Amino acid sequence: MNTQTDIKKDVRERYNLIALQDKSVNAASCCGAGPVSGEVYTVMSDSYEGIEGHVAEADLGLGCGLPVQYALISPGDTVIDLGSGAGNDAFIARTEVGENGTVYGIDFSPNMLEKARKNAQSRGFSNVYFIEADIDHVPLADQTADVVVSNCVLNLLPEKEGIFGEIFRLLKPGGHFSVSDVVRAGELPEALLREAELYAGCVSGASDRREYLELIAKAGFENVQIQKEKVIALPADILGRYLSAAEVETYSGAALGLFSITVFAQKPGGEPKKALPTQKVRKELSTLAPSCAPGSGCC
């Protein structure tokens, strides 16, 4: 894959197919798109079960966190869900905004949008709208949203700087986002980076964690907080499809690691919000530009 257009096309095609898969297939793979693991466990996602607004038919097991749970959504808010899939995060957000709020789900997979719209229509949800669009070019006006959420989507696409810029544009002054995503610490083996299958499956598309936080600061956000972080350990049978036995052993014991993180950040113009539960942003932010140095209000 040599161009951003190629990557987007591949991801769109794969997620059109994933929309037709059983959830058990998605849960045993890398966000539903990678090779299925014989080791029965969920590779990425947290469980939505028991969360108010959860729609089982809309939960395809593709997430890597629970961003809506941490998003400080209030009744009457307008929320945008980037990469909304079959609609589960959007439906959970709907319970938070109430009847007077609005939720927009943005996705570029026609099959996903069809499932989401059917799920909304069958339940009579009149304040949830699903729009076909790329998440870096959303056809909504500036300053539309109080809150933006996204779940395991930004890591699929190469132009993350443009996506954070689009989030900034869409948010009202003082608005904020809560995004769950996959990041890495260190370099992934070349064999994984080459594979489009794992690119669409969240792994080799993961950004360096420090660089990811830098992009958020560069887009103009402040009050950056890592709300949740967990290690992602890929099963040996998945790694073995791409690496030699010796490489699997090296990779499995390496400190480089893959992580699922949920990040909160705020657009300037409002009172700073404290997003709990939170883990203090690590040393990465202490070495960013002065505008995002500790004590500057960005962390």
Side-chain angles (χ1 to χ4, degrees):
M1 273 191 216
N2 297 320
T3 70
Q4 295 177 17
T5 301
D6 289 337
I7 292 170
K8 283 186 177 182
K9 180 181 178 182
D10 183 78
V11 173
R12 182 184 290 109
E13 290 174 352
R14 289 174 180 275
Y15 275 76
N16 270 327
L17 293 174
I18 289 165
L20 307 178
Q21 290 178 175
D22 186 85
K23 180 182 176 181
S24 62
V25 175
N26 299 333
S29 63
C30 299
C31 294
V36 175
S37 171
E39 300 179 25
V40 181
Y41 81 122
T42 300
V43 177
M44 300 285 186
S45 64
D46 293 317
S47 175
Y48 283 92
E49 293 183 11
I51 297 177
E52 187 178 1
H54 173 247
V55 174
E57 293 84 356
D59 181 4
L60 302 186
L62 302 175
C64 56
L66 302 170
V68 179
Q69 210 177 26
Y70 301 108
L72 300 182
I73 298 170
S74 298
D77 277 353
T78 296
V79 177
I80 298 175
D81 178 13
L82 298 180
S84 50
N88 193 47
D89 284 289
F91 298 144
I92 293 172
R94 177 187 176 277
T95 67
E96 300 291 334
V97 303
E99 295 298 327
N100 295 323
T102 303
V103 179
Y104 294 100
I106 311 298
D107 207 288
F108 66 3
S109 163
N111 287 354
M112 288 290 186
L113 289 162
E114 182 180 1
K115 289 180 76 74
R117 288 165 179 158
K118 285 182 177 178
N119 284 325
Q121 184 177 16
S122 67
R123 290 164 177 79
F125 294 163
S126 59
N127 59 341
V128 183
Y129 305 92
F130 293 98
I131 300 170
E132 184 172 354
D134 288 359
I135 63 172
D136 54 356
H137 291 90
V138 176
L140 292 171
D142 295 358
Q143 301 182 18
T144 292
D146 299 285
V147 182
V148 172
V149 297
S150 187
N151 195 349
C152 213
V153 174
L154 274 64
N155 49 274
L156 299 174
L157 301 171
E159 186 43 56
K160 296 175 182 63
E161 183 174 357
I163 296 171
F164 282 121
E166 185 71 342
I167 293 173
F168 193 90
R169 180 188 73 81
L170 290 167
L171 282 170
K172 299 173 184 178
H176 62 273
F177 73 74
S178 186
V179 169
S180 294
D181 217 344
V182 176
V183 296
R184 57 178 169 78
E187 295 300 323
L188 290 170
E190 185 64 28
L192 296 185
L193 290 172
R194 285 199 306 264
E195 292 297 331
E197 192 165 40
L198 277 182
Y199 201 116
C202 310
V203 176
S204 58
S207 295
D208 177 82
R209 182 171 55 191
R210 181 181 181 278
E211 292 174 359
Y212 191 90
L213 295 172
E214 285 180 329
L215 289 177
I216 294 171
K218 185 177 179 181
F221 289 101
E222 59 186 16
N223 193 21
V224 181
Q225 302 175 49
I226 294 180
Q227 297 170 295
K228 184 176 181 179
E229 180 177 282
K230 68 176 183 178
V231 174
I232 296 170
L234 293 181
D237 62 343
I238 285 182
L239 294 175
R241 299 185 190 209
Y242 300 93
L243 308 175
S244 68
E247 287 173 325
V248 168
E249 184 176 353
T250 299
Y251 177 77
S252 298
L256 54 89
L258 287 164
F259 301 88
S260 165
I261 61 172
T262 299
V263 183
F264 175 99
Q266 190 172 0
K267 184 174 179 175
E271 290 296 318
K273 300 170 184 175
K274 189 174 183 181
L276 294 175
T278 182
Q279 298 172 7
K280 190 69 174 176
V281 175
R282 301 171 192 271
K283 293 189 235 182
E284 289 95 333
L285 284 178
S286 68
T287 56
L288 300 187
S291 62
C292 196
S296 68
C298 115
C299 57

